[in-house]
């Protein structure tokens, strides 16, 4: 029989407690038999403590069914069994059985992962509701768009519709409990005849996606089972790869929608319009239910913020009443950055929320040992977690499942309230676009980086926003960008406006439509206060600035009456070649498409102009590609695919130039982590840049880089070059990462016998020799500290910031020295991303000082040749640095180097004190490292000594 848990039970004598339990349990037992073996196993797996309970009457038993199998019957174990984790195929196999045997369950696919695994959805409701699933989909779709919806029709739909509550598990692969819980929850929702579950089935449609990161889930199971076999410390076993490209950042893709996981989720969301989406995460004790500390993103409707708190406090009250310690809210996460998966719901008039439950370290138990702050009793945590108790994976499952069951019933029994809110939020955002600026955003089609502009247009369409095409030319009033949470952004102050011309064919995103929150925030300027709670992630992300795309923020409501037609399909920008001749001139536009042109013209002779020139009456900038004796048709196809235009001329222009020799590229990763270089891998794969993937351990072979011309070493989240040298602590036995019969999901992208070692001094020596013989080493972020600390060039220095706060924002940079790295950039000041990277500078270093007449000419020349050049620096005026995000103590960043070209022997080290390829958001700076790669053996071209940093006296 189920044991009812209640805080007063701890005060009862055991005999009285037993009698009370038997009495309270009798009605349930009479209604539905229990699966006694399964129930007994649940209780065995749940830790007991004389002071506390870690289960509730909602989940401490399992009802029996004569027709529907339990997870135990199909998989052979009860979820929460120590040492057992389910693979994706096993979870899907059980869901197939559930759907085949229960008329209350349907299963369908969201799509495939990067590695071809199925991302599934289980829909559960009572038979009558499930039979009308498509009808309810249509109702929710209609409620999601209030345009043309009468009050009477809206009220009818609110009465008749059913909310969809969509649960998702294991977005983060190291968080293992949610797929196990969702196996059991699905069965419970399908067969339990108790009042609580029947109410849920009758009033809400529960969607379950048990594993979002399906590729990472199987890798985690492999790594966990390997740790058991080899006797490794499970809590410290690293999962260096999750998905194909991203790890933890798979929950930072909600703005730009690049990964298959995010794309499938967004498509599923727009198909079903769920009322609530609920991610199940694991990190902090014991159950955190999300509200956030603030600051909240401006585009979150106040209604949804209230709904977060309503649901959170309902769960806290109910679960505390049922005896669970450590259920709380508020003091975790901020609600500011919209790149999380839950922001998809919150920006589409639904409710996006999440749990954090206490990790079970794979599928094990441990004794809770928390810091004083975590167990302190606070206003937002009146019943805090406790120390000294045994915590197991089943404890995690009990907490998650109990909380979800409380939330499902609460939403179901108040379904009209939540559906009415859903409709109201949609109506409010449409009305907002009709009554207040901005009324629209205009994206000019004919701008310099028009191909990048098309990507932005397509991104907005993927977010569900409607895009229109201007049907005729007209003028309108544009205003400065909206500032989110900015002290200068007051509604009482009319914005300054300028007249802009909208041309026929320009793209218009109207704001009088239901799904504009994403557009508004992606094109706004963010201001995160220095005194706000510490930011949970990025603080600024203004995409048109980061991508160097022109947009206009429209202040005139008359634009809504202008002639325009809906854009019905994804935009493609046709490129090609005009003119006649066998030499093709391809301008460099300062974008990644221009930068990679030589990679698309394999076998042709390509030169790059080192200065500006004129040809055929047109002016071409430095960096223009000159393709002599071109296969014009092949060039036309290549440029057409990139959306670029070239011009064929009769003969090559007379201009100083150098021949482009494409490098053999090594993309270097550390076994400390692979996520940051994963974004670079993704970008290179999308752009079609060939590379060879190697690890820092490979560098221990002195000949490892003999076959390469360029090495790209992306930021590694490890402070200091010594960590990059040494790797992980050499504690315990080796930790292999290899594909074997027992670990089929490991070793797909790279393998090692032991994850712990780094490159060592041998690897550093290999890197240095590689550069000295003429190679190019590109380092970004923290990885820039390695060549500085090892003295590759003695005139480089790293300064530790003292009070600087520049977390994940957009900042102004200024060009300093003429360099091929800057080819195509027409402005001397432009925005770049910065994420609290090292502060780099150029110093005097060693050797002869000064350059007066007494210094031998050969020494002066050599010193000049070896002096690092600052190519790009952060704006020298601190009050002009910030474009978007957080900045405090900006004087520490002002004037510091953003990009340095440091000669070492015959080669170069190019150091980025930023992340030029950042989460596929910062396309405006992609061309900087790409230019360095294309011109790897000609980085001195066009410099003529200009812009070199003078030696300090």
């Amino acid at each position: 029989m189920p044991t009812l848990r209640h805080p007063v039970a701890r005060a009862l004598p055991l005999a009285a407690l037993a009698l009370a339990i038997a009495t309270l349990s009798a009605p349930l037992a009479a209604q539905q038999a229990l699966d006694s073996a399964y129930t007994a196993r649940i209780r065995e797996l749940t830790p007991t403590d004389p002071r506390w309970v870690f289960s509730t009457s909602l989940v401490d038993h399992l009802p029996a069914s004569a027709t529907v199998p339990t997870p135990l019957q199909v998989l052979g174990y009860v979820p929460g069994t120590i040492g057992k984790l389910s693979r994706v195929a096993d979870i899907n196999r059980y869901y197939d059985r559930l759907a085949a045997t229960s008329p209350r369950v349907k299963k369908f696919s969201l799509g495939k992962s990067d590695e071809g695994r199925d991302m599934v959805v289980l829909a559960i409701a009572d038979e009558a509701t499930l039979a009308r699933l498509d009808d309810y989909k249509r109702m929710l779709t209609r409620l999601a768009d209030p345009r043309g919806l009468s009050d009477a029709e809206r009220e009818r739909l609110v009465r008749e519709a059913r909310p969809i509550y969509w649960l998702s598990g294991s977005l983060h692969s190291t968080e293992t409990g949610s797929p196990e819980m969702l196996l059991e929850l699905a069965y419970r929702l399908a067969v339990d005849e108790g009042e609580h579950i029947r109410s849920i089935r009758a009033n809400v449609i529960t969607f379950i996606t048990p594993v979002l990161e399906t590729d990472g889930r199987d890798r985690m199971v492999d790594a966990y089972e390997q740790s058991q076999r080899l006797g490794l410390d499970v809590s410290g076993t690293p999962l260096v790869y999750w998905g194909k490209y991203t790890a933890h950042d798979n929950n930072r893709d909600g703005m730009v929608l690049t990964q298959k996981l995010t794309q499938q989720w967004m498509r599923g969301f727009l198909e079903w319009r769920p009322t609530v989406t609920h991610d199940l995460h694991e990190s902090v004790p014991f159950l955190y239910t999300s509200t956030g500390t603030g600051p909240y993103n401006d585009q979150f409707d106040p209604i949804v913020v209230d709904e977060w708190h309503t649901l959170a406090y309902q769960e806290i009250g109910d679960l505390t009443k049922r005896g669970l310690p450590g259920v709380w809210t508020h003091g975790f996460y901020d609600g500011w950055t919209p790149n999380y998966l839950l922001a998809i719901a919150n920006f589409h008039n639904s409710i996006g929320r999440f749990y954090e439950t206490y990790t079970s370290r794979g599928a094990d138990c441990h004794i809770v040992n928390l810091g004083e702050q975590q167990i302190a009793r606070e206003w937002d945590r009146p019943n805090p977690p406790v120390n000294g108790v045994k915590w197991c994976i089943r404890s995690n499952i009990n907490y998650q499942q109990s909380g979800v069951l409380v939330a499902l019933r609460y939403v179901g029994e108040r379904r009209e309230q939540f559906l009415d809110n859903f409709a109201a939020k949609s109506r409010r955002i449409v009305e907002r676009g009709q009554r207040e600026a901005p009324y629209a955003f205009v994206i000019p089609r004919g701008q310099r980086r028009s191909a990048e502009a098309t990507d932005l247009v397509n991104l907005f369409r993927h977010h569900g926003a409607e895009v229109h095409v201007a049907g005729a030319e007209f003028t309108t009033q544009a205003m400065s960008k909206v500032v989110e949470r900015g002290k200068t952004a007051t509604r009482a102050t009319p914005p300054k406006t300028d007249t802009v011309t909208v041309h026929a064919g320009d793209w218009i995103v109207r704001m009088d439509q239901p799904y504009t929150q994403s557009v508004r925030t992606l094109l706004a300027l963010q201001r995160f206060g220095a005194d706000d709670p510490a930011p949970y992630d990025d603080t600024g992300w203004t995409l048109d600035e980061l991508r160097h795309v022109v947009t206009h923020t429209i202040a005139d409501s008359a634009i809504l009456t202008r002639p325009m037609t809906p854009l019905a399909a994804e935009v493609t920008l046709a490129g090609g070649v005009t003119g006649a001749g066998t030499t093709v001139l391809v301008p460099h536009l300062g974008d990644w498409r221009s930068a990679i042109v030589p990679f698309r013209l394999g076998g042709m002779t390509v030169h790059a102009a080192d200065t500006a020139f004129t040809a055929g009456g047109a002016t071409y900038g430095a960096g223009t590609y000159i393709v002599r004796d071109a296969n014009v048709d092949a060039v036309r196809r290549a440029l057409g695919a990139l959306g670029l235009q070239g011009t064929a001329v009769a003969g090559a222009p007379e201009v100083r130039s150098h021949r482009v020799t494409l490098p053999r590229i090594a993309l270097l990763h550390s076994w400390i982590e692979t996520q940051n270089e994963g974004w670079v891998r993704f970008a290179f794969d999308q752009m079609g840049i060939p590379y060879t993937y190697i690890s820092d351990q490979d560098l221990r072979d002195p000949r490892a880089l003999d076959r390469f011309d360029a090495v790209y070493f992306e930021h590694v989240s490890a402070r200091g070059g010594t960590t990059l040298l040494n790797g992980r602590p050499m504690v315990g036995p080796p930790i292999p990462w290899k594909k074997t019969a027992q670990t089929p999901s490991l070793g797909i992208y790279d393998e090692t016998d032991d994850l712990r070692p780094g490159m060592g001094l041998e690897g550093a020596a290999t890197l240095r020799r590689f550069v000295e013989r003429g190679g190019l080493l590109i380092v970004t972020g923290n990885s820039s500290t390695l060549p500085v600390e090892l003295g590759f060039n003695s005139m480089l220095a790293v300064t530790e910031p003292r009070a600087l706060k520049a977390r994940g924002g957009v900042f102004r940079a200024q060009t300093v020295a003429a360099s091929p790295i800057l080819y195509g950039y027409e402005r001397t000041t432009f925005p770049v991303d910065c994420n609290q990277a090292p502060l780099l500078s150029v110093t005097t270093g060693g050797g002869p000082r000064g350059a007066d007449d007494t210094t031998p000419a050969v020494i002066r020349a050599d010193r000049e040749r070896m002096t690092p050049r600052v190519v790009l620096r952060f704006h020298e005026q601190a009050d002009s640095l910030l474009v978007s995000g957080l900045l405090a103590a900006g004087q520490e960043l002002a004037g510091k180097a953003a990009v340095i070209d440091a000669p070492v022997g015959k080669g170069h080290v190019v150091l980025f004190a930023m992340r030029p390829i950042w989460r596929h958001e910062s396309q405006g700076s992609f061309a900087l490292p790409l230019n360095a790669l294309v011109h790897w053996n000609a980085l001195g071209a066009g410099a003529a000594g200009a812009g070199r940093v003078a030696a300090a006296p």
Side-chain angles (χ1 to χ4, degrees), residues 573-578 584-587 589 620 639-640 642-647:
L573 189 66
V577 177
T578 60
V584 179
L585 307 179
V586 184
L589 304 178
Y620 295 86
L639 297 184
L642 291 169
L644 299 176
Q645 288 288 341
T647 303

Side-chain angles (χ1 to χ4, degrees), residues 209-382:
T209 296
V211 181
L212 277 168
E213 180 55 272
T214 53
D215 302 332
R217 172 65 179 190
D218 279 2
R219 265 187 271 285
M220 180 62 200
V221 177
D222 278 0
Y224 174 69
E225 291 180 352
Q226 174 178 267
S227 71
Q228 291 182 304
R229 288 192 303 271
L230 301 181
L232 303 174
D233 177 8
V234 174
S235 64
T237 300
L239 193 69
V240 290
Y241 293 90
W242 298 10
K244 182 175 182 179
Y245 297 108
T246 61
H248 194 270
D249 269 5
N250 62 13
N251 197 26
R252 302 297 187 272
D253 191 40
M255 291 192 298
V256 292
L257 311 178
T258 64
Q259 305 301 293
K260 287 284 182 67
L261 179 159
T262 325
Q263 293 167 359
Q264 311 291 28
W265 181 257
M266 174 61 92
R267 281 194 287 266
F269 180 94
L270 293 176
E271 178 181 359
W272 291 97
R273 323 284 171 138
T275 315
V276 185
T277 66
H278 190 157
D279 295 342
L280 298 169
H281 289 277
E282 300 167 29
S283 63
V284 294
F286 284 149
L287 190 157
Y288 166 82
T289 174
S290 61
T291 54
T293 63
Y296 296 134
N297 187 284
D298 280 6
Q299 303 309 322
F300 292 154
D301 192 296
I303 293 175
V304 80
V305 176
D306 177 69
E307 289 170 323
W308 295 342
H309 287 83
T310 297
L311 288 166
Y313 281 104
Q314 176 63 28
E315 291 158 339
I316 291 169
D318 194 299
L319 296 178
T320 300
K321 180 177 65 177
R322 293 175 183 274
L324 297 185
V327 183
W328 55 287
T329 191
H330 179 69
F332 181 90
Y333 160 79
D334 52 35
W336 174 250
T337 311
N339 55 8
Y340 311 111
L341 212 63
L342 60 86
I344 289 174
N346 290 320
F347 276 160
H348 293 79
N349 307 315
S350 297
I351 305 168
R353 59 195 310 258
F354 68 96
Y355 284 168
E356 297 282 350
T357 49
Y358 201 28
T359 179
S360 45
R361 299 182 179 181
D364 293 331
C365 300
H366 66 280
I367 302 300
V368 176
N369 183 20
L370 306 172
E372 288 299 319
Q373 186 176 0
Q374 291 177 290
I375 62 172
R377 184 169 181 170
E378 304 287 351
W379 71 267
D380 59 329
R381 193 164 43 194

Side-chain angles (χ1 to χ4, degrees), residues 41 45 78-85 224 228 363-365 390 392-394:
R41 192 75 182 112
L45 294 169
V78 170
T81 296
I82 305 303
K84 294 294 293 183
L85 292 177
Y224 174 69
Q228 291 182 304
D364 293 331
C365 300
K390 186 179 182 181
C392 296
I393 184 172
R394 186 68 211 189

Side-chain angles (χ1 to χ4, degrees), residues 441-448 467-477 499-509 550 552 554 559 562-565:
F441 290 94
V442 172
I443 306 172
R445 180 186 291 265
Q447 59 182 284
R448 179 179 176 88
V467 180
H468 286 74
V469 180
E473 183 174 304
F474 60 90
T475 60
T476 187
Q477 296 298 304
T499 300
V500 296
T501 299
V502 179
H503 299 279
D506 286 352
W507 298 293
I508 301 172
V509 187
V550 175
H552 300 305
I554 305 303
I559 193 171
R562 299 294 189 177
M564 61 183 77
T565 56

Side-chain angles (χ1 to χ4, degrees), residues 577 600-602 604 630-640:
V577 177
R600 301 294 180 91
L601 302 179
M604 299 189 204
N631 179 335
V632 178
D633 287 339
V635 175
R636 181 178 290 109
R637 288 192 296 271
L639 297 184

